[in-house]
């Protein structure tokens, strides 16, 4: 072999070795990331029970140095943390205090610290009943702008590039308003003079001026579309022994701007499902219902609208739940891949439908997509095509324990859906 060929071969071997090292490094980083994702940042342990640290990865657990009041904490030879003679203290979450556990790779390399939250034993009624939802916005929301045709037939847009979708109108000319009717009256009585709107935009209060236009009908308008209430159909997730409920698993948002509604007051009602539109690829299905707003059909109040659900107190227990017993809660670490059920009244009465849990994401505390599942129930697939709008909040049950609630459907495949961990809803 000539010197030139030897040189080329040597360079080739060196580059291949470097590439091999690079591949190993990439694989190591990928494996490390998978390892971290297999271990939760936070765990919930029922008071008096031994934590289960079976994450399916080669780590051992030891107690971390902590200022938490757990003087009787003990470590067993297998590295598990044992608690003795502890009395839970009240905290933001129903249950006791917290302590930390360090996960060590092969018993030596510390890779992660888990916060363990002790909680009291919890049982809930897994509801699955349809509810009609009505909420009154705390402020008037602008959902868009439009044209106003003046008396001479000229089209004008007085609000264009002045206000934005998602702005809240707090006041007109210094006077606070809380309804569409109040806004219309203030603009109508302006006499064509410029008006000043006080707006709430992205958490900041600002003022803008608008010139009302006298329309062809002789009414002064500023060309904004607004909304001060919203109604829809959803599913109740659970009821506590105190008559408190959680529903939806996600917040009530404005369909036009996507913002979470700032609720002034709201109520839930009995509802009758009138129509089901099946889901298909690229187009989520939907169920439509009739809400009866008479007081005798009112089920309860809406007191909170959050990213993980709506919450309130029942004044009347839905008739379907009168003979339903509460079942235990299982937190995310106890969820297994495989068979589970969702409870829904999509057919008009409360039923359980089979699903298959395919994946759980331990790091979904900030969202409501911790459980990924596929609908396997033939009846539900026949009737709805899978998950449809209105089923949000349907409780997910596994081995007789409530573990979460349905929140989203895959746009590309209505048989696939997401769910929220039950503890995320309970922590609201």
């Amino acid at each position: 072999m000539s010197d030139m060929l030897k040189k080329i071969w040597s360079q080739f071997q060196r580059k291949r070795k470097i590439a091999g090292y690079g591949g190993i490094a990439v694989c190591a980083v990928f494996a490390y990331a998978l390892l971290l994702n297999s271990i939760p940042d936070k765990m919930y342990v029922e008071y008096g029970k031994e934590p289960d640290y079976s994450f399916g990865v080669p780590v051992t657990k030891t107690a971390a140095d902590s200022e938490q009041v757990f003087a009787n904490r003990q470590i067993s030879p297998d590295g598990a943390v044992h608690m003795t003679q502890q009395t839970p203290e009240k905290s933001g979450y129903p249950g006791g205090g917290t302590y930390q556990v360090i996960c060590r790779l092969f018993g030596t390399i510390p890779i992660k610290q888990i916060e363990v939250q002790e909680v009291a034993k919890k049982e809930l009624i897994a509801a699955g009943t349809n509810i009609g939802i009505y909420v009154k916005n705390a402020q008037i929301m602008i959902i868009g702008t439009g044209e106003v045709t003046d008396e001479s037939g000229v089209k004008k847009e007085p609000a264009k590039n002045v206000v934005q979708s998602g702005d809240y109108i707090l006041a007109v000319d210094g006077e606070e308003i809380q309804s569409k009717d109040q806004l219309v009256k203030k603009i109508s009585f302006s006499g064509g003079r410029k008006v000043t709107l006080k707006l709430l935009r992205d958490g900041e209060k600002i003022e803008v001026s608008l010139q009302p236009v006298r329309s062809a009908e002789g009414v002064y308008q500023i060309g904004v579309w607004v909304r001060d209430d919203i109604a829809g159909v959803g599913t109740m997730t659970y009821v506590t022994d105190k008559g408190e409920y959680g529903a939806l698993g996600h917040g009530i948002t404005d369909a036009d701007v996507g913002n979470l509604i700032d609720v002034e007051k709201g109520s839930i009602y009995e509802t009758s499902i009138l129509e089901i539109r099946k889901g298909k690829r690229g187009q989520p299905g939907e169920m439509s219902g009739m809400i009866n707003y008479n007081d005798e059909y009112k089920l309860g109040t809406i007191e909170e609208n959050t990213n993980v659900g709506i919450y309130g107190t029942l004044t009347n227990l839905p008739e379907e739940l009168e003979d339903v017993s509460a079942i235990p809660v299982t937190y995310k670490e106890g969820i297994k891949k495989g068979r589970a059920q969702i409870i829904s009244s999509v057919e008009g009465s409360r039923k359980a439908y089979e699903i298959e849990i395919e994946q759980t994401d331990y790091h979904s505390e900030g969202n409501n997509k911790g459980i990924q599942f596929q609908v396997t129930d033939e009846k539900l697939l026949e009737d709805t095509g899978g998950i449809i709008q209105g089923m949000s909040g349907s409780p997910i049950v596994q081995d007789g324990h409530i573990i979460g609630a349905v929140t989203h459907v895959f746009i590309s495949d209505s048989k696939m859906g997401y769910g929220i961990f039950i503890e995320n809803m309970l922590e609201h």
Side-chain angles (χ1 to χ4, degrees):
M1 185 180 295
S2 68
D3 290 342
M4 180 61 72
L5 288 176
K6 287 181 179 179
K7 186 176 181 180
I8 294 173
W9 179 252
S10 176
Q11 290 176 346
F12 172 74
Q13 292 285 72
R14 186 167 61 254
K15 289 180 179 179
R16 188 171 68 172
K17 185 179 292 185
I18 292 172
Y21 290 148
I24 293 171
V26 170
C27 289
V29 171
F30 183 68
Y32 182 70
L34 285 177
L35 182 67
L36 290 183
N37 285 331
S38 299
I39 304 171
D41 300 315
K42 187 173 183 179
M43 290 179 59
Y44 297 85
V45 178
E46 187 177 310
Y47 176 70
K49 287 191 175 181
E50 185 66 32
D52 181 6
Y53 299 109
S54 303
F55 305 130
V57 292
V59 296
T60 57
K61 284 67 65 177
T62 58
D65 293 332
S66 173
E67 296 181 359
Q68 303 295 334
V69 186
F70 286 97
N72 294 325
R73 185 173 54 199
Q74 297 178 346
I75 311 300
S76 71
D78 63 0
V81 174
H82 293 272
M83 307 299 298
T84 59
Q85 300 177 354
Q86 304 298 329
T87 301
E89 299 177 358
K90 292 292 182 183
S91 62
Y93 190 92
T98 61
Y99 59 96
Q100 283 72 43
V101 169
I102 294 176
C103 293
R104 299 179 186 275
L105 183 62
F106 305 119
T108 56
I109 305 172
I111 59 170
K112 193 164 191 177
Q113 180 170 293
I114 306 173
E115 178 183 331
V116 181
Q117 168 77 59
E118 278 200 323
V119 294
K121 183 177 181 180
K122 190 78 174 176
E123 291 189 343
L124 305 168
I125 294 176
T129 50
N130 296 324
I131 51 174
I133 299 166
Y134 175 80
V135 294
K136 178 75 171 62
N137 294 19
Q139 292 94 22
I140 305 164
M141 178 186 285
I142 295 175
I143 59 175
T145 62
E147 297 177 338
V148 180
T149 303
D150 69 12
E151 292 177 301
S152 60
V154 178
K155 293 181 177 180
K156 298 181 179 180
E157 295 183 77
K160 185 177 181 180
N161 300 324
V162 180
V163 302
Q164 297 178 6
S165 297
D167 286 349
Y168 286 99
I169 303 176
L170 306 180
V172 179
D173 291 336
E175 182 178 335
E176 292 186 1
I177 60 171
Q178 294 181 320
S179 71
K180 291 185 292 186
D181 290 341
Q182 289 177 315
L183 175 64
V184 170
K185 287 180 181 178
K186 290 291 291 182
I187 302 302
S188 296
F189 296 156
S190 68
R193 299 184 305 274
K194 272 192 174 183
V195 296
T196 299
L197 302 185
K198 185 177 183 180
L199 306 175
L200 181 66
R201 178 181 295 170
D202 297 328
E204 181 182 355
K205 293 179 181 179
I206 62 172
E207 289 189 349
V208 299
S209 294
L210 290 172
Q211 179 69 58
V213 174
R214 186 177 176 88
S215 71
E217 293 80 20
V219 178
Y220 286 103
Q221 300 176 347
I222 56 173
V224 296
W225 296 101
V226 297
R227 179 175 290 142
D228 63 0
D229 61 3
I230 194 167
V233 174
T235 302
M236 187 185 300
T237 305
Y238 65 80
V239 180
T240 72
D241 57 358
K242 296 179 180 179
E244 299 165 338
Y245 75 88
L248 298 187
H250 58 67
I252 302 173
T253 57
D254 188 278
D256 294 290
V257 300
N259 290 0
L260 192 70
I261 298 295
D262 184 10
V263 174
E264 178 188 30
K265 60 182 179 180
S267 300
I268 58 173
Y269 297 84
E270 292 181 14
T271 187
S272 302
I273 300 303
L274 302 178
E275 180 184 9
I276 292 177
R277 179 167 57 84
K278 292 182 66 171
K280 56 184 179 181
R281 187 177 182 86
Q283 186 176 342
E286 183 180 22
M287 56 181 176
S288 303
M290 181 181 68
I291 305 172
N292 193 323
Y293 293 108
N294 291 340
D295 286 344
E296 60 185 295
Y297 296 101
K298 182 177 177 179
L299 295 174
T301 59
I302 298 175
E303 295 156 18
E304 293 183 81
N305 178 34
T306 76
N307 287 322
V308 293
I310 61 172
Y311 303 89
T313 304
L314 292 181
T315 52
N316 291 295
L317 185 69
E319 187 176 343
E320 281 190 292
L321 301 180
E322 290 180 355
D323 298 322
V324 177
S325 299
I327 59 176
V329 165
T330 286
Y331 303 105
K332 58 187 174 185
E333 299 80 19
I335 299 174
K336 304 184 292 289
K337 290 183 180 180
R339 183 183 176 188
Q341 297 81 37
I342 58 174
I343 299 175
S344 178
S345 301
V346 67
E347 295 181 65
S349 59
R350 183 177 177 273
K351 295 181 181 179
Y353 300 96
E354 294 294 318
I355 64 170
E356 190 83 5
I357 294 177
E358 298 189 339
Q359 186 175 321
T360 55
D361 179 6
Y362 285 149
H363 306 283
S364 67
E365 288 189 21
N367 63 48
N368 41 28
K369 294 183 178 180
I371 304 170
Q372 182 178 317
F373 64 87
Q374 177 175 333
V375 175
T376 57
D377 193 283
E378 293 297 331
K379 177 61 174 171
L380 186 59
L381 291 172
E382 179 184 344
D383 290 343
T384 67
I387 303 301
I388 60 175
Q389 295 178 24
M391 290 177 68
S392 292
S394 298
I396 305 175
V397 174
Q398 187 175 62
D399 298 331
H401 290 62
I402 183 169
I403 62 173
V406 174
T407 55
H408 295 81
V409 60
F410 280 47
I411 300 298
S412 60
D413 187 353
S414 59
K415 296 191 299 294
M416 301 294 298
Y418 283 116
I420 185 173
F421 296 125
I422 192 64
E423 58 261 44
N424 290 11
M425 291 189 70
L426 292 173
E427 273 191 324
H428 73 279

